[in-house]
Amino acid sequence: MSEVTPVQPIPEPLSKRKNANAIELISGSVGGASQVLSGQPLDTLKTRAQTAPKGQFKNTLDIFTTTVRNEGFLALYKGMLSPLLGVAAVNSLLFTAYGASRRIVSPYPDLSIPQVATAGAMAGAANAILASPVEMFKIRMQGQYGGAGDKKLSGVVGDMWKEYGFRNGIMRGYWITFVREIPAYAGFYAGYETSKRWFAKHYAPNPVPIWALLTSGAIGGVSYWIACYPLDVIKSRVQLSKTPPLKGHWLSGGYIAHEFRAILQEGGTRALFRGLTPSLLRAVPAAGATFAAYEVAKEYIINHNLL
C-alpha cells in the first residue's frame, strides 16, 4: 500500500479557474447520464399518468401493471434514448448556466439561499432551449402503448419535422417549458444547497459523505416538483397533443392558459397533480444520483488537474 503524502496541495477554487465552465460541462454530463439511468421507469409512469385519457388507468400501480402486462417490462424504458442522448447535454448546459449565474448574482462564492434560488431560476430559463425538444420526444415515445403504429425515436423526430417544422414540431411546448423551468430550478438548487449546507456544518471539518450528497440531491429533486408540478402537467399535454398549441405563449390568451382551463374542466384541481407520486418517488434516486455523480466527477477533475 503506497504511502499517503501528508500535505496535499489545495485545489484552486472553481470560481477562479479559467476552465470552470469546461469542468461544469463535463461534470454535468456525468450527472445527466446518471439521472436518466436511475429514473426512467418512474418517469414513464409519471408521463402516462399525466397524459392518458380519463378513466384509462385507476392509479399509478395500475399504470405499472398494465404497462408491464401488455408491453413488457422494457416498456418502462420507452423514450430513454432521447434523454440519454440529450439529457447529458441538457444537464451540461444547466450546471454550466448555474455556475455562470452564480457569478452574475454575486462575485463571492458563498451565496445566500435566496441568491442560490435566483441563480437556479436563471439557469432554468437558459436550460429550456434544450430541455424542451428532448422532453417532447421522450414524452411522445412514452405516449405509445405498444400498438402496430408505434414508432422509433427517429420516426417520431422525422414526423414532427415533416408535419410541423421547427417551431410547432421540434420546439413544441418551448414557452411552457421556459415558464416551468424558472420556479423548478429555483426550488431544485435552493433545496439542494440548504440540505448540503446543513450536512457540511454537521460533519465539519470532514468532507460531506456521499450518502449526504445523495440525500441533498433527493431533497432538491422533491423541491423541483413541488415548485412546478401543475406546469409540468400542462407541458406534457401540450407536447403530446396531435395538433400544435394555440398561438400565444403567456398566461393571458395563449396556449398555457387554454390548457390550464381544459385540465380544470376535465378533472378539477386534482387533475393538475396527476402523476405526482411517481414524480416524487423518481426524484429520490434520479436527483440524488445526478448531484452525487456531478459532485464526484467535479472533485475528481479538480483534484487530479485533468483540466
Side-chain angles (χ1 to χ4, degrees), residues 208-225:
V208 177
I210 290 294
W211 70 264
L213 290 177
L214 288 167
T215 302
S216 299
I219 291 173
V222 170
S223 300
Y224 174 102
W225 288 118

Side-chain angles (χ1 to χ4, degrees), residues 31 33 43 65 67 89-90 117 133-134 143 153 187 199 213 215 226 246 255 272 293 300 305:
D43 185 75
T65 55
T67 298
V90 168
V134 167
L153 177 61
F199 282 118
L213 290 177
T215 302
I226 291 174
L246 298 172
Y255 72 77
L272 291 169
Y300 185 86
N305 291 315

Side-chain angles (χ1 to χ4, degrees), residues 121-141:
M122 293 167 63
N127 189 56
I129 193 70
L130 286 181
S132 179
V134 167
E135 292 192 17
M136 191 269 292
F137 292 128
K138 171 182 68 70
I139 287 168
R140 295 188 78 85
M141 292 294 293

